[in-house]
Amino acid sequence: MPLLLPLHGIGGRQDLPVPFGIAVGGAGVAIALSFVVLGLAWRNPKYRGDKSGKALPEVVTRTVDSAGFRWFVRLVGLAIFLYAMVALVFGVDRLTNPIFGFIYILVWVGLVPISLLLGPVWRTLNPLRTIHLLLSKLLRQPPSQGLLTLPKWLGLWPAALGIFAFTWLELVAPDRATQPVLQAWLALYVVITLFGALLFGDRWFSTADPFEVYATLMARLSPWGRRDDGKLVIRRPLENLDGLKAQPGLVGMVAALLGSTAYDGFSNSTAWIGWAQNTDYSMTTLGTLALIVFILFVLVTYSSATLLAGRLSDSSRSALPGLFAHSVVPIAFGYVVAHYLTLLILEGQRTLIYLSDPLSNGANIFGTGLLGLNTGITNHSTTISVIQVLAVVCGHLMGVISAHDRAVALFPRNKALAGQLPLLVVMVGYTVGGLLLLFSA
C-alpha cells in the first residue's frame, strides 16, 4: 500500500506505560474476571434485539424514509464514486493518485466510523445499489426482481469470499499500489456485483457485496436501529448487536474479518518478514497461504468452541456457531480500531489532499491541496499504544458480554456458565494473541 506508516499504527510495546508482559497478562485476566462477574450478576437475558429501542420522533423516521432524502444520499454516494473513478481511469499511475487512499483507507477503514455513527447508511450510499436501481427503472422492473431466486443456503458466503479477495488485494497482492492491479480488481468487483443483482435482484447486495455486508455488521454496534414495527429507535449498547440473525456464511464472514486483521499484524512482524525473505517461495505465495491459515484458524477455533459449549450445556446443536457469531463482531471492531486508527487519521488527511487533484496534473479543485498534513498525533505514541490495547480488550469484553447474554438465553440455567468456558478460553486466547500480533513489529 502507498502508505508511510505501518498498517497497525505508530505506537509500539516500548511506548506502553507498563511492561508489555504485564499489559498482555492483565488483558487476559480482565477477560476472565469479566466472565466471573457476569456469571454472578447476569443470570437472565437482558437484550431483546430488534424488538427493543426507544422510538425517535416521528418526524425523524418520516424524513429518513422519504424518497427525497434517500435519493439525495444515493446521489451523493454515486457522485463520490464517479469522482474517484476519474482518478482510477484517467489519473497518473503514481502514489499521489488519490484512488489508492480512497479505496484502502476512506472506504475500507472509513466504513467503520461511518457505520458506527450513522448506522447502516451504506445500504443507501452504496453506488452500485444506486446504479442497479437506475437500471431497474430504465428496464421498468422492480429492483427486487431477478431472473433467478437466490438460494437460502448461499447466505453470506459470497461476501465472505469477497472479504478474502479484498484483504488479499490489500495485504498480499504484488503491485497492489499500481493502477492496473486496482483497476482489474475493481472491474471484477463491479461486474460481479451488478451482474449478480440483475440475476438475483437487489437482495444480492446484502448477501454478496463485501463492503455492504461489512458495513452492516459494523452498524450493529451503532446505537441507531430500526424496530420490528418499522420505527427508527435508539438502543442500549450491544442491544442492536443482539438483533443480528444467524444465517449461512455469517461465521465465515466474521472469521474472514478477524483472521485477515490478525494476519495484517503478523505480516508486519520482523520474524515473518525475515523468515519469508529467506525461503525459496515468493512472498505472494506465502502471504496467500498465511492469510488462508489465519482465517481458517479463527473459523475452526471459534466453531469448535461453540459446538463444545453446546455439549457441555446439554444444548448440542449445529446452529450454535451462527447463534454466537454476533459476539465476534465487537472483537473485529476492536482490532480495526487498534490496527487502523492512526492510519485513518494521518493517511486519510493525505488522501483528502490528493483528492483535490484527482488527475495529479497540478489542479486544485476543492482547495484541500493548500491544507497542510497535521502530524501532531505522532507525538503521542504512548497514548496511541494505550488506545490500541484498550481497543482490543474492550472489543473482547463486549464479545464476552454478548456471548454471555446469548448463553443464558439458550442454555439451561444450571449449565450456562459451564457451556461458556470453551468460548472464554478462545476469547482469552484471541486477546493475548491479538496483542502479541499487534505489537510484534
Side-chain angles (χ1 to χ4, degrees), residues 143-154:
S144 59
Q145 180 179 331
L147 300 176
L148 299 174
T149 301
L150 190 65
K152 290 184 178 181
W153 58 263
L154 198 59

Side-chain angles (χ1 to χ4, degrees), residues 69-90:
F69 181 81
R70 287 183 174 272
W71 271 109
F72 172 76
V73 176
R74 290 185 186 115
L75 293 177
V76 167
L78 183 60
I80 294 173
F81 172 75
L82 294 177
Y83 181 82
M85 291 306 100
V86 170
L88 176 67
V89 177
F90 302 107

Side-chain angles (χ1 to χ4, degrees), residues 92-280:
V92 296
D93 190 11
R94 59 187 184 211
L95 299 186
T96 54
N97 190 321
I99 190 61
F100 303 112
F102 180 82
I103 297 296
Y104 292 131
I105 300 172
L106 296 186
V107 174
W108 179 240
V109 183
L111 277 178
V112 176
I114 289 175
S115 301
L116 195 67
L117 293 174
L118 302 176
V121 68
W122 185 254
R123 286 185 291 196
T124 307
L125 269 174
N126 189 344
L128 298 190
R129 265 193 185 268
T130 302
I131 293 173
H132 175 254
L133 182 58
L134 292 173
L135 288 174
S136 298
K137 288 185 176 295
L138 185 65
L139 297 174
R140 297 183 178 181
Q141 66 179 29
S144 59
Q145 180 179 331
L147 300 176
L148 299 174
T149 301
L150 190 65
K152 290 184 178 181
W153 58 263
L154 198 59
L156 299 180
W157 284 113
L161 183 61
I163 288 294
F164 169 78
F166 180 79
T167 53
W168 179 86
L169 170 73
E170 179 198 14
L171 303 173
V172 179
D175 301 323
R176 53 193 176 274
T178 60
Q179 271 182 287
V181 171
L182 193 56
Q183 285 171 345
W185 194 96
L186 287 175
L188 284 173
Y189 161 68
V190 170
V191 169
I192 292 172
T193 304
L194 287 179
F195 180 76
L198 292 173
L199 199 61
F200 298 108
D202 59 4
R203 186 187 169 197
W204 177 254
F205 292 100
S206 61
T207 194
D209 186 337
F211 298 112
E212 179 164 321
V213 175
Y214 173 49
T216 302
L217 286 178
M218 291 296 115
R220 281 289 176 178
L221 296 172
S222 169
W224 314 109
R226 192 176 290 272
R227 211 162 53 192
D228 286 343
D229 59 7
K231 293 183 180 296
L232 290 177
V233 297
I234 184 169
R235 295 190 174 111
R236 296 178 296 172
L238 298 181
E239 191 143 38
N240 210 4
L241 186 64
D242 187 70
L244 182 61
K245 301 294 189 296
Q247 58 180 306
L250 177 59
V251 177
M253 182 68 187
V254 296
L257 288 174
L258 188 57
S260 60
T261 309
Y263 168 75
D264 176 18
F266 174 73
S267 66
N268 284 280
S269 66
T270 53
W272 163 255
I273 294 174
W275 176 82
Q277 290 178 344
N278 290 319
T279 65
D280 295 328

Side-chain angles (χ1 to χ4, degrees), residues 336-406:
V336 168
V337 173
H339 281 253
Y340 300 120
L341 177 62
T342 54
L343 184 72
L344 178 62
I345 293 173
L346 285 173
E347 294 302 324
Q349 292 181 69
R350 198 185 309 276
T351 300
L352 291 176
I353 293 173
Y354 289 160
L355 277 170
S356 182
D357 184 12
L359 300 181
S360 299
N361 59 4
N364 184 15
I365 298 175
F366 301 121
T368 56
L370 301 176
L371 301 177
L373 185 66
N374 187 344
T375 59
I377 190 175
T378 59
N379 299 322
H380 304 282
S381 56
T382 297
T383 301
I384 293 168
S385 294
V386 172
I387 290 174
Q388 290 174 321
V389 172
L390 289 177
V392 172
V393 174
C394 289
H396 283 84
L397 286 175
M398 290 190 292
V400 169
I401 293 171
S402 298
H404 177 79
D405 188 78
R406 183 60 55 87

